[in-house]
Amino acid sequence: MNKSEWYANRILWRAKKLQLESYEWQKFLLSNEESARKVLEVASGRGVPLFIFWQSDDVWTLLTNQFLVGRLGGENSVVDLDKLGRVSTESNDGVSRNDPNRYAEVIRAGEVERKFWTPRGAAHFSLRNVLAMFPINAP
């Protein structure tokens, strides 16, 4: 098993435990072919798509077996899973300081920090949980 296969296996294992099935790439591809093509143009050559967090053609995050790829604020972002660095949740302006976790939508990651969008709540923290595995010592 090569490194990319190992990473895919670990991501799928963790995502299943976190109940991310509704964000699987294959489901998105089958229901949104046009949008999926646009995402693949940005993610070309960046691994096998596994999960997508989708709001619109201009706001999405794709997790492949090698990279975190996204579009937010008119900008494309790409971070190698081996170079995620510190992964954090960006505080939203105007969000109650008593419960920011429920409303968080942006993850920051990468040696040169990049922003990635997620849906609020469980999906946001599930992706953070998956990303916390990296880098992985592949066999």
Side-chain angles (χ1 to χ4, degrees), residues 1-11 136-139:
M1 182 180 300
N2 67 33
K3 179 179 163 182
S4 295
E5 291 168 339
W6 177 254
Y7 276 23
N9 179 283
R10 300 311 300 160
I11 291 168
I136 297 175
N137 292 325

Side-chain angles (χ1 to χ4, degrees), residues 11-101:
I11 291 168
L12 293 171
W13 171 80
R14 179 66 60 98
K16 183 176 181 180
K17 289 187 168 293
L18 296 168
Q19 300 175 335
L20 285 175
E21 293 87 3
S22 62
Y23 299 98
E24 288 176 352
W25 171 255
Q26 285 302 95
K27 290 179 183 178
F28 178 76
L29 177 63
L30 293 173
S31 63
N32 299 294
E33 289 182 39
E34 175 91 15
S35 295
R37 267 194 296 267
K38 291 177 184 178
V39 169
L40 289 175
E41 287 175 15
V42 176
S44 178
R46 299 218 166 52
V48 177
L50 300 173
F51 293 93
I52 186 157
F53 302 91
W54 176 265
Q55 185 177 60
S56 69
D57 285 344
D58 290 319
V59 180
W60 52 266
T61 298
L62 176 71
L63 178 62
T64 76
N65 64 339
Q66 297 174 30
F67 291 87
L68 187 62
V69 182
R71 181 154 181 82
L72 180 63
E75 187 175 316
N76 296 333
S77 296
V78 178
V79 176
D80 187 312
L81 293 179
D82 287 330
K83 298 178 181 175
L84 285 172
R86 181 175 171 267
V87 178
S88 63
T89 295
E90 181 177 285
S91 298
N92 297 350
D93 293 335
V95 170
S96 168
R97 295 197 189 284
N98 296 330
D99 196 10
N101 295 346

Side-chain angles (χ1 to χ4, degrees), residues 93-118:
D93 293 335
V95 170
S96 168
R97 295 197 189 284
N98 296 330
D99 196 10
N101 295 346
R102 185 182 308 173
Y103 303 101
E105 291 184 325
V106 177
I107 290 174
R108 291 177 172 265
E111 293 171 340
V112 174
E113 209 169 66
R114 309 296 292 171
K115 293 181 181 182
F116 298 90
W117 176 85
T118 65

